[in-house]
Amino acid sequence: MKTLNDLVLTIQHYLSDYVLIIALLGGGIWFTFKLGFIQVRGFGEGMRRTFGGLFSKKGNADKDGMSSFQALATAIAAQVGTGNIAGAATALAIGGPGAIFWMWIAAFLGMATIFGEAVLAQKYKQVGVDGEITGGPVYYIRAAFKGTFGKVLAGIFAVLIILALGFMGNAVQSNSIAAAFHTAFGVPQAAVGVVVALIALFVFVGGMQRIAKVTETLVPIMAAFYILGALIVIIYNYKNIPYAFQAIVVGAFNPSAVSGGAVGATLKLALTKGVARGLFSNEAGMGSTPHAHAVAKVDHPVEQGFVAMIGVFIDTFIVLNLTAFVIITTKSIPSGKTGAELSQYAFSTLYGKGGDIFIAICMFFFAFSTIIGWYFFGQANIKYLFGPKAVKVYSVLVAVCVVLGSLAQVDLVWNMADCFNSMMVIPNFIGLIVLSGTIKKLHDDYYQNFKKNK
């Protein structure tokens, strides 16, 4: 087991520190220039489409898909997870405040990439044999490569995302909830796991309609709760806000020049940890969120591309940034803690024991919503590989993984989840690059024809 774990760690190291950074940053730069800085030009349109439909009841989820906002809520449910609390803290603990600067860069470029993913997901979505709209990378990978290679590449992606997110990833999320509740309230982790699994199973069996209803209700509540709690801490430490900005910018290029930063942080660590954690948090380029954006009811694929960009913005520039500023303004990095413990420590500087309770509640919201989102992404690929009849078995297996994940942290499972997560990017990235011309044509069609005639 130790040998296998070491092998998985080695593969993950090369994937996250080299392959993914080159591919995803390179892809982000490619789409940014190819689409004329769409994340800037289309930002206002994305905000209008996102928040303009926030309270609209039009286009609720059914066999024909979800409303545009419900699709975004499902995507954000997956994006805003424990990584926004634990992942950001880990990057800060290892790479110092400068890691946040590189998270910003990754997110800015990722907005262009996720625009392309959402546009392709809309372009190649299909009606399944069960009559429901479905879509995702497996369909645009098959469109990019018509022969056996396309079938194999799509199949590899489908297996990886089912394992990485549906099974192992959801076990990780469950463990985060159970550990946080055990720390804050002393509740047995197994009991938490069973309760979470039962609630999750109730949502799963309700299909697309129930998943959409839960995410569109839960996401705004959890975001508002965390934003308010974090802002109170940051405002309380308002005198350290200028220091936080200085530490982030200076630390991005010269980590050793930042007082109170992570011990031993280097430019390479700030860059790699910031980019890697940022990419895993906002999921741009990973091929996960296109499953949600594919089922949105829109008149043109580009319309959902705009909305998808806002998901990255909310995840990184709002939620993840708040975690970072809480930690930096409270000067908690030198505490020596990392992960969720560092976030809990930072919040406890103001809230005391309430900091543990606050993080436990946020962990539940963030991790549970991610379980719902990741289940939905995996479900689309289960249907692709085995047909709709396999969904019931899949939902039960996910619930079992949630229970098992709550019991104990098994390093091999956690590391394999990360590794498969990274490996997912490769087939998705290949499909995106090959179809980049199609993305550009749809982009041009929207501006030159659709928008003018609307």
Side-chain angles (χ1 to χ4, degrees), residues 293-315:
H293 296 300
V295 301
K297 301 174 186 177
V298 292
D299 296 322
H300 194 285
V302 166
E303 292 179 326
Q304 194 61 22
F306 292 135
V307 175
M309 294 193 305
I310 304 304
V312 174
F313 178 81
I314 292 170
D315 172 84

Side-chain angles (χ1 to χ4, degrees), residues 106-194:
F108 178 77
L109 297 174
M111 288 172 74
T113 304
I114 210 165
F115 173 89
E117 288 182 292
V119 168
L120 288 181
Q122 276 286 320
K123 166 71 175 173
Y124 295 107
K125 65 183 179 181
Q126 297 185 10
V127 179
V129 295
D130 58 352
E132 284 196 352
I133 294 291
T134 188
V138 290
Y139 298 102
Y140 59 71
I141 290 171
R142 290 286 297 273
F145 304 99
K146 299 295 184 184
T148 303
F149 180 74
K151 291 181 180 178
V152 172
L153 197 63
I156 289 172
F157 175 86
V159 170
L160 287 173
I161 193 170
I162 291 166
L163 292 174
L165 303 187
F167 296 149
M168 297 178 188
N170 279 335
V172 172
Q173 297 296 326
S174 172
N175 186 266
S176 298
I177 297 174
F181 267 71
H182 181 69
T183 300
F185 306 109
V187 181
Q189 292 192 193
V192 175
V194 170

Side-chain angles (χ1 to χ4, degrees), residues 353-439:
K353 178 65 176 175
D356 288 345
I357 296 172
F358 177 78
I359 291 296
I361 295 171
C362 290
M363 277 287 198
F364 173 79
F365 278 133
F366 286 13
F368 182 75
S369 68
T370 298
I371 289 171
I372 301 302
W374 283 358
Y375 165 84
F376 182 74
F377 301 162
Q379 175 191 270
N381 291 275
I382 286 288
K383 285 183 179 181
Y384 171 77
L385 290 175
F386 307 110
K389 289 183 179 179
V391 169
K392 287 183 180 179
V393 176
Y394 168 68
S395 63
V396 172
L397 289 175
V398 172
V400 170
C401 287
V402 168
V403 175
L404 294 176
S406 69
L407 300 178
Q409 181 168 327
V410 181
D411 288 341
L412 178 59
V413 175
W414 268 240
N415 293 331
M416 286 179 72
D418 273 348
C419 191
F420 288 157
N421 240 340
S422 300
M423 292 169 69
M424 275 168 50
V425 174
I426 298 170
N428 181 61
F429 179 75
I430 293 171
L432 284 175
I433 293 300
V434 171
L435 293 173
S436 60
T438 301
I439 297 169

Side-chain angles (χ1 to χ4, degrees), residues 84-361:
N84 292 76
I85 295 174
T90 299
L92 283 166
I94 299 173
I100 302 304
F101 178 86
W102 298 111
M103 284 184 181
W104 294 346
I105 298 298
F108 178 77
L109 297 174
M111 288 172 74
T113 304
I114 210 165
F115 173 89
E117 288 182 292
V119 168
L120 288 181
Q122 276 286 320
K123 166 71 175 173
Y124 295 107
K125 65 183 179 181
Q126 297 185 10
V127 179
V129 295
D130 58 352
E132 284 196 352
I133 294 291
T134 188
V138 290
Y139 298 102
Y140 59 71
I141 290 171
R142 290 286 297 273
F145 304 99
K146 299 295 184 184
T148 303
F149 180 74
K151 291 181 180 178
V152 172
L153 197 63
I156 289 172
F157 175 86
V159 170
L160 287 173
I161 193 170
I162 291 166
L163 292 174
L165 303 187
F167 296 149
M168 297 178 188
N170 279 335
V172 172
Q173 297 296 326
S174 172
N175 186 266
S176 298
I177 297 174
F181 267 71
H182 181 69
T183 300
F185 306 109
V187 181
Q189 292 192 193
V192 175
V194 170
V195 171
V196 171
L198 290 174
I199 299 172
L201 195 58
F202 171 75
V203 177
F204 298 163
V205 298
M208 188 188 298
Q209 292 93 329
R210 191 171 294 167
I211 289 171
K213 183 58 66 177
V214 169
T215 57
E216 75 171 341
T217 303
L218 185 61
V219 166
I221 293 173
M222 76 178 192
F225 182 72
Y226 189 71
I227 289 168
L228 179 62
L231 280 176
I232 291 171
V233 178
I234 294 168
I235 292 170
Y236 182 80
N237 294 284
Y238 73 94
K239 291 182 180 178
N240 291 332
I241 292 176
Y243 159 77
F245 279 105
Q246 180 195 19
I248 289 169
V249 176
V250 173
F253 303 96
N254 187 11
S256 62
V258 179
S259 61
V263 177
T266 63
L267 175 57
K268 181 184 176 184
L269 280 173
L271 173 62
T272 57
K273 296 305 174 185
V275 171
R277 284 298 100 192
L279 293 171
F280 275 116
S281 177
N282 62 55
E283 300 187 25
M286 284 177 60
S288 52
T289 59
H291 298 93
H293 296 300
V295 301
K297 301 174 186 177
V298 292
D299 296 322
H300 194 285
V302 166
E303 292 179 326
Q304 194 61 22
F306 292 135
V307 175
M309 294 193 305
I310 304 304
V312 174
F313 178 81
I314 292 170
D315 172 84
T316 303
F317 289 106
I318 297 180
V319 180
L320 192 145
N321 249 4
L322 287 170
T323 302
F325 272 81
V326 166
I327 292 170
I328 299 171
T329 57
T330 57
K331 298 190 175 181
S332 297
I333 297 175
S335 67
K337 298 180 183 297
T338 188
E341 287 186 356
L342 176 55
S343 295
Q344 285 178 319
Y345 176 85
F347 277 96
S348 69
T349 59
L350 178 62
Y351 298 134
K353 178 65 176 175
D356 288 345
I357 296 172
F358 177 78
I359 291 296
I361 295 171

